[in-house]
Amino acid sequence: MQAKKRYLLVSLGACLLLIAYLGGLQIGEFQHQHQHLYKDSQSQNLHRQHWPQWINPLSTYLDGDEHEEDDPRLHQQHPSPRERREIRNNVYKSRKCRMDTCFDFSLCQRGFKVYIYPLQKGEKVSESYQKITTAIEESRFYTTDPSRACLFVLSIDTLDRDQLSFQYVHNVKTKIQSLPMWNNGRNHLIFNLYSGTWPDYTEELGFDIGEAILAKASIDMDNFRPNFDVSIPLFSKDHPQKGGQKGYLTFNNVPPSRKYVLVFKGKRYLTGIGSENRNALYHVHNGDDIILLTTCKHGKDWEKHKDARCDRDNEEYSK
């Protein structure tokens, strides 16, 4: 009986030793795997911590000017991205031009002379553009010799660049590029009164002016190149080329002796391009030697946008 008890105790002890041995192997394997996983994790973290820093960030494929936000009117009028890109290039391509970077003063060493390209066969110009070129031709600065010219003026009528206008000239880009002295527009002067198309007028001219000086009416401040472009008044086709009766001017008197220093009578745009300027004219009006009369009656829905001064302005305008 005692022998059986000893046998059972020995067997039980052997089993406990076997279990302890197997348990020790499992624990060791688990610790080894855990250490291996920990090292892998540390290695991955090390790689993450030392992820290479780019010295030069990836450059964009957009041109510098394309980072600027487009005018909402441009999106409405030209939904195609390619059309908007071409318009941006035309408007902003040479926006950094100044007289010292885009004008060749060496052409003016023999004096300031202006050359107008001859009118091509079959080409026509508007009455307003004819007045501009005639005024230049009758001045002492005009020359028929392009080799003596300091400034070049197009014979192509660029005053009205509204595609809906019957005075809109097509294929201006091709015609300008074929000019013998164009030279990307350097030392050239381009006149413009209207640009874009109703109802969302933009600065689009339909061609690249390059390095040419732009004499434009109602030019946007964002597109105006200081000390280079010229802001001109918007005048109608009925505006006379010369004022007064023939022979009335007996001698040059600067400033002239006259009753009125400044006179303006026209429509006051309540919204859109030019509205801010014309809405501020009443600040200058003094009713004495500066007379500025404006009316709000512009367009069919002008009453929807009328302000507190419209009734008074309309009344004074109608006198």
Side-chain angles (χ1 to χ4, degrees):
M1 188 70 181
Q2 292 180 352
K4 289 182 179 181
K5 289 183 180 180
R6 286 196 296 270
Y7 177 77
L8 290 174
L9 290 173
V10 171
S11 300
L12 182 60
C15 290
L16 291 174
L17 289 174
L18 181 60
I19 293 172
Y21 176 76
L22 294 176
L25 290 178
Q26 292 292 332
I27 293 174
E29 182 67 18
F30 174 77
Q31 290 178 346
H32 178 73
Q33 292 181 356
H34 179 72
Q35 290 177 355
H36 182 71
L37 292 173
Y38 178 78
K39 290 180 179 180
D40 289 344
S41 176
Q42 288 292 99
S43 178
Q44 292 177 3
N45 291 335
L46 187 63
H47 284 295
R48 291 193 189 100
Q49 293 174 358
H50 297 280
W51 188 264
Q53 299 292 328
W54 299 107
I55 298 176
N56 296 319
L58 295 177
S59 59
T60 177
Y61 288 97
L62 294 175
D63 294 334
D65 294 328
E66 292 186 6
H67 289 286
E68 302 180 10
E69 294 184 1
D70 288 331
D71 192 323
R73 296 172 297 181
L74 195 62
H75 283 269
Q76 296 174 5
Q77 188 171 339
H78 299 277
S80 170
R82 185 176 64 179
E83 291 182 3
R84 293 199 302 271
R85 184 163 51 250
E86 292 178 355
I87 293 172
R88 276 195 302 266
N89 290 337
N90 290 341
V91 175
Y92 304 113
K93 189 174 183 179
S94 301
R95 72 183 324 177
K96 294 183 179 180
C97 269
R98 299 296 184 268
M99 293 299 292
D100 58 340
T101 59
C102 297
F103 193 87
D104 187 0
F105 287 96
S106 65
L107 300 180
C108 310
Q109 292 179 354
R110 292 188 294 176
F112 183 78
K113 292 295 181 179
V114 183
Y115 173 79
I116 301 178
Y117 287 92
L119 192 64
Q120 298 299 316
K121 185 178 180 180
E123 291 288 341
K124 296 181 180 180
V125 297
S126 63
E127 184 179 352
S128 297
Y129 198 71
Q130 184 65 53
K131 292 176 182 177
I132 294 176
T133 56
T134 301
I136 296 175
E137 291 171 349
E138 294 181 353
S139 71
R140 67 180 185 273
F141 304 108
Y142 176 67
T143 179
T144 57
D145 185 1
S147 64
R148 298 184 56 200
C150 168
L151 191 66
F152 299 86
V153 175
L154 306 181
S155 61
I156 305 169
D157 189 348
T158 57
L159 287 185
D160 195 344
R161 301 307 297 161
D162 184 350
Q163 297 182 17
L164 300 180
S165 173
F166 68 92
Q167 293 183 339
Y168 180 84
V169 179
H170 296 272
N171 302 322
V172 171
K173 179 180 179 180
T174 303
K175 295 175 181 178
I176 288 180
Q177 294 295 334
S178 63
L179 296 176
M181 282 80 67
W182 175 243
N183 190 24
N184 194 34
R186 182 162 291 219
N187 288 58
H188 281 67
L189 177 62
I190 294 177
F191 292 92
N192 175 254
L193 296 181
Y194 310 98
S195 62
T197 302
W198 183 91
D200 303 308
Y201 292 96
T202 64
E203 296 286 312
E204 177 192 3
L205 298 179
F207 63 93
D208 182 13
I209 65 174
E211 298 178 350
I213 299 172
L214 182 61
K216 178 175 173 55
S218 303
I219 188 171
D220 195 304
M221 286 293 295
D222 294 334
N223 300 330
F224 182 79
R225 296 168 293 182
N227 302 321
F228 191 75
D229 289 331
V230 182
S231 178
I232 61 176
L234 180 65
F235 60 91
S236 67
K237 63 180 180 179
D238 299 326
H239 188 80
Q241 180 180 339
K242 298 178 180 179
Q245 298 295 328
K246 186 176 181 179
Y248 180 77
L249 183 63
T250 57
F251 60 93
N252 291 330
N253 184 14
V254 180
S257 300
R258 56 180 61 180
K259 179 179 179 180
Y260 299 106
V261 176
L262 177 63
V263 176
F264 173 81
K265 185 176 183 179
K267 296 177 180 179
R268 176 160 68 87
Y269 306 133
L270 297 174
T271 59
I273 299 176
S275 60
E276 294 182 359
N277 296 334
R278 295 203 179 189
N279 286 337
L281 290 179
Y282 76 96
H283 291 289
V284 186
H285 173 80
N286 60 15
D288 185 15
D289 58 346
I290 299 179
I291 308 297
L292 302 174
L293 303 176
T294 59
T295 176
C296 298
K297 297 179 180 180
H298 176 67
K300 297 180 180 180
D301 57 346
W302 68 271
E303 293 184 353
K304 296 181 181 178
H305 306 285
K306 64 181 298 187
D307 52 33
R309 299 197 325 274
C310 277
D311 293 336
R312 182 180 59 188
D313 288 352
N314 292 340
E315 182 179 356
E316 293 184 357
Y317 182 88
S318 303
K319 290 180 180 180

